[in-house]
């Protein structure tokens, strides 16, 4: 019997293997963002209230009929010498006619995704910075951030390389205009 020589694993490969082998407790969410493994506890009721209110509006008012997935794993390009980012948005929206979620595995590419939504929780800086850059690198057209600490909603658009070129921030209580394919004013009055 002959021993086979194996190439040593790179730091990137070791990190990715470790991440994929995680056994997170029920309700917790693990993500690999910019070379860092982030584990988030189950969300509180306020977090879920914001998501519910926004999803309801998108489903009822969007000009293009939308499908959505809560906590869908997305594979996104990496910006540094780390594995592909494995990011789990609070909500992922895609045009219904694309049927993106039907046959997707646990982690799917972001082609066809129209918008992702994040509501800040225990690690708001990841939502404000690292995830925003990941979504822009992935070419996701719109990123909607509900920042509970700042009591504001920010819509990022026009992704280019590592960030979005445009953004519009409104305080809770003021509407945010969602462009095509949504084409309606998102109300935030019940966030107050």
């Amino acid at each position: 019997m002959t021993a086979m020589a194996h190439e040593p694993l790179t730091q990137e490969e070791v990190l990715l293997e470790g991440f994929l082998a995680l056994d997170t407790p029920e309700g917790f969410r693990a993500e690999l963002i910019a070379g860092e493994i982030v584990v988030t506890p189950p969300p509180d009721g306020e977090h879920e209230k914001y998501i519910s209110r926004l999803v309801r509006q998108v489903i009822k008012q969007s000009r293009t009929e939308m499908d959505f997935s809560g906590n869908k794993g997305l594979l996104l390009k990496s910006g540094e010498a780390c594995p592909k980012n494995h990011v789990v948005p609070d909500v992922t929206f895609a045009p219904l006619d694309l049927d993106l979620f039907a046959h997707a595995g646990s982690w799917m590419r972001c082609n066809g995704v129209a918008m992702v939504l994040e509501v800040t929780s225990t690690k708001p800086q990841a939502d404000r910075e690292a995830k925003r850059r990941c979504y822009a690198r992935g070419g996701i057209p719109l990123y909607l951030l509900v920042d509970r600490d700042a009591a504001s909603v920010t819509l990022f658009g026009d992704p280019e390389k590592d960030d979005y070129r445009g953004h519009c921030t409104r305080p809770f209580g003021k509407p945010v205009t969602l462009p095509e394919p949504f084409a309606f004013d998102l109300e935030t009055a019940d966030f107050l």
Side-chain angles (χ1 to χ4, degrees):
M1 182 183 264
T2 341
M4 302 269 305
H6 292 284
E7 292 285 322
L9 294 176
T10 65
Q11 189 172 1
E12 176 182 318
E13 291 167 329
V14 169
L15 180 62
L16 182 58
E17 280 188 18
F19 168 73
L20 293 173
L22 281 175
D23 186 20
T24 55
E26 187 173 333
F28 280 68
R29 174 169 75 185
E31 300 173 279
L32 180 58
I33 305 169
E36 180 182 349
I37 295 174
V38 178
V39 178
T40 309
D44 61 29
E46 283 294 307
H47 182 274
E48 297 304 283
K49 170 188 151 183
Y50 293 121
I51 290 172
S52 174
R53 300 301 192 277
L54 292 171
V55 167
R56 186 176 301 124
Q57 287 184 63
V58 169
I59 297 304
K60 287 182 176 181
Q61 298 181 49
S62 181
R63 178 172 292 161
T64 300
E65 198 170 1
M66 287 289 159
D67 203 358
F68 75 94
S69 178
N71 298 310
K72 181 70 195 121
L74 297 179
L75 285 171
L76 302 166
K77 295 177 189 172
S78 173
E80 297 86 36
C82 65
K84 280 190 183 297
N85 291 301
H86 289 65
V87 182
V88 183
D90 288 328
V91 179
T92 302
F93 292 100
L96 184 65
D97 63 354
L98 294 180
D99 206 14
L100 287 184
F101 308 120
H103 303 289
S106 297
W107 299 98
M108 68 177 231
R109 302 213 179 280
C110 57
N111 300 354
V113 170
M115 180 170 71
V116 290
L117 163 67
E118 294 284 359
V119 176
T120 57
S121 53
T122 55
K123 294 191 176 195
Q125 208 52 35
D127 293 329
R128 293 178 189 135
E129 297 291 330
K131 282 188 166 185
R132 185 186 81 228
R133 286 178 174 63
C134 288
Y135 297 144
R137 263 194 299 280
I140 296 174
L142 299 170
Y143 171 37
L144 187 65
L145 174 64
V146 177
D147 193 321
R148 297 192 294 173
D149 296 333
S152 67
V153 177
T154 301
L155 179 66
F156 295 93
D158 198 13
E160 184 179 282
K161 296 182 184 173
D162 287 352
D163 212 345
Y164 287 94
R165 291 190 301 186
H167 72 278
C168 173
T169 302
R170 296 284 185 258
F172 287 174
K174 300 287 183 188
V176 175
T177 300
L178 297 181
E180 291 285 347
F182 302 93
F184 75 95
D185 288 343
L186 184 73
E187 292 298 329
T188 64
D190 57 353
F191 291 179
L192 295 171

